[in-house]
Every structure is written in structure tokens, then in C-alpha cells.
Amino acid sequence: MKFEDKKIKLWSQLGQRAAFGLACLELEKLYPNLLILTSDVSTSAGLDRFRKQIPEKYIEVGISEQNLIGVASGLASEGHNVITTTFSPFQTLRCCEQIKVNLGYMKNKVCMVGLASGVVLGSLGYTHCSIEDIGVLRSIPNISIISPADVRETIKSIVAALSHSESVYIRLTGGSNNPIIYNEDYEFKIGKAIRLKEGKDLTIYTNGSMVSVALDVRSKLLKNNIEAEIINVHTVKPIDEETVKKSANNKRLLVSIEEHNCIGGLGSAISEVISNIDINSKLIYFGLQDSYTSSGDYKYMLERNGLTPELIVQKILKNIN
């Protein structure tokens, strides 16, 4: 499924959330058995056009996320290709037991799209932030987890999820004016990481909103004659062990950068892989701290958690030397 560059640029200005909803109009043409279920987020998810133009394929369950998963799993068991969506903490934690039982245990296949994950809604407090979603779902069998880097990868993730053999959770991060990482079409596979940049000194593993940050970090490190390899680990589960192991060899330092709790997310998944190989490289984590601190806007939340390029570079230089 390909989209014109003009459309990608427009959707990138709107952000991953709106792009998801607009892309669903195109997805419906490819998947005649597609159904979309939401919990009162048609506008937030960019699904207003879909709701009005194709009402027979849109089901609004209201603010009842546990019911959202129950209805979705039932429809999936009858052969429908089902997408559910609401804000990330409600898509995952509020209905965790239903995800475990109906999707993980019973193996009904649903594509879950978590809106505004991470701390982009920091001004609303940690009830609306999502720093735990990967850590929680990663421990449930039969659930794949994707954190796309930009709008193009968001769409590719959904297409891949609809054809995948098991349920998939797609974690959308960042706000409007979403940076474009992929300027051209490329091959996307669930479970296959993508090497964005080569580098002999260190490897940075990242995904989601932090991919653009990692690329900025790399540019700043080059000024210190340090070359960083950048790996977009868009699929946290199943993680691409082969690429992680290969990129960890003969590096002075390994780095993980994610908009998620440092515990249980990408960094933890990376450490689980490299603990099984014989290397001397140290792995340092950049992510959201394991605490519920004061809230604020997106920029403030990232700065408070040390997720700006400048703060990341400072810590890397300290550790690599």
C-alpha cells in the first residue's frame, strides 16, 4: 500500500493520530471485512470521515474500553478484521485482563491502536500519559508490539498488523508536525528492525518519536568524531534478535532511547537479548523515569526526563569516554 508524498507530508503535519484515521478510508478498500471500533474518540483518531462515509463498518462502544475488547474479540472470532482504538492508557491498562484472556489466551486477532502514547498529553497528567503500555503487554503471550517512527511507518504497521497471525498493539507517539523519517517507500516487516545509519563507535536502538531525536543525537556526536549506528527497532515484540546482536558487536557503547518507562520497554528488551552474547559493551538507557512526577506540556515532559538531543549527547559523551 503506497501513498503519494504530498499526502504523507500533509498527514505528517497532522500527526500520527489523524493520519491513522484518514488512512483507514483507504484500508477499507483493501479489506472488505474491516471493522473499526472506538471508545468515543472518532475526532481524536481522525475517524470522523470514516464514521460518516462508512457507518456500517464503524462501531462506537462509548467510554467502556473493557467492552471494546470484548466486542472486538467476538467480531474477530467471526472472521472480521478488527481495529480498536482509544487513548493509549485506556486501550491497554484499563482493559488489560480482557486483552490477556480474549486476545492473548483465546487468540482472537485484533489490531489495537493506542493513541497519544508516551507523554504527549502531559498537560493532562499521568492519567492520560502512557509510560507502562509496552512493559505490561510485552508479558502477555500472542501479542506483537509496534512503535512506528513516523506517519508512513504508522500506515505500514497497520497494513502489516491486519495480515499478521496474531493480535498487534500499535503505539502512536508524538503530536502534530510529526517528523518524516522515511522520505521514500521501503519494506516493512513485523519483527524486522531497520538500520537507518551506519556507525562504528556506538549503536543507538530506538523507536517511535525518539527516532528523530536519535538522528539529531547522531549529528551532534559526529561533531565530536563519534559515529553512531541507528537502529529503528519498531517492533519491540517479537524483537529482531539477529539485528540487535549483530549491531552490538565491537561497539564502545550501546544506547537505547524510548518514550516509555526505562523499565519493561525497549531498553529492557535489548538487554534481554545482549545478555545472551559475549560482549564488553555497556548499555545505557534513556527513557521516562520510573516515577509519576509533576505534569506539563510535551516539551517540558521530555526535558524533565532527559529526552532532548542535548541531554542525551552529554550523557553519551560522559559514558563513552
Side-chain angles (χ1 to χ4, degrees), residues 9 31 60 132 163 166 191 210 230 279 288 301 308 312:
K9 290 179 180 179
Y31 300 91
E60 174 61 70
E132 319 88 351
S163 302
E166 63 184 21
M210 292 295 107
I230 306 293
I279 59 172
L288 301 170
M301 297 294 278
T308 65
I312 292 171

Side-chain angles (χ1 to χ4, degrees), residues 93-107:
L93 302 189
R94 183 169 288 176
C95 48
C96 185
E97 183 181 0
Q98 285 70 30
I99 293 173
K100 170 191 171 181
V101 176
N102 295 342
L103 307 187
Y105 188 28
M106 297 176 67
K107 298 183 180 180

Side-chain angles (χ1 to χ4, degrees), residues 219-239:
S219 297
K220 294 181 184 303
L221 288 173
L222 283 173
K223 296 178 181 179
N224 290 274
N225 296 317
I226 297 172
E227 296 181 11
E229 181 180 18
I230 306 293
I231 307 292
N232 174 19
V233 191
H234 51 70
T235 306
V236 184
K237 182 184 179 182
I239 196 164

Side-chain angles (χ1 to χ4, degrees), residues 137-146 190 235-239:
L137 295 190
R138 202 162 66 90
S139 61
I140 299 177
N142 304 314
I143 307 286
S144 296
I145 302 171
I146 303 174
I190 292 177
T235 306
V236 184
K237 182 184 179 182
I239 196 164

Side-chain angles (χ1 to χ4, degrees), residues 33 39 60-61 78 83 88 91 103 105 118 144 165 176 219 221 228 234 237 253 266 280 299-300 305 307 311-312 317:
N33 63 340
S39 289
E60 174 61 70
V61 304
E78 293 298 317
I83 297 176
S88 178
Q91 173 69 89
L103 307 187
Y105 188 28
S144 296
S165 60
S176 57
S219 297
L221 288 173
H234 51 70
K237 182 184 179 182
L253 185 70
L266 174 63
N280 296 320
K299 181 181 178 182
Y300 168 81
N305 288 276
L307 288 177
L311 294 173
I312 292 171
L317 291 176

Side-chain angles (χ1 to χ4, degrees), residues 50-65:
F50 189 99
R51 175 176 59 84
K52 294 174 182 177
Q53 294 179 23
I54 321 172
E56 69 276 11
K57 294 191 175 184
Y58 181 91
I59 300 175
E60 174 61 70
V61 304
I63 305 175
S64 55
E65 290 81 2

Side-chain angles (χ1 to χ4, degrees), residues 88-89 114-120 129-131 133 169 171-174 259:
S88 178
L115 306 177
S117 192
V119 290
V120 69
C129 293
S130 189
I131 71 171
D133 49 344
Y169 169 56
R171 178 182 207 256
L172 304 187
T173 52
E259 194 178 331

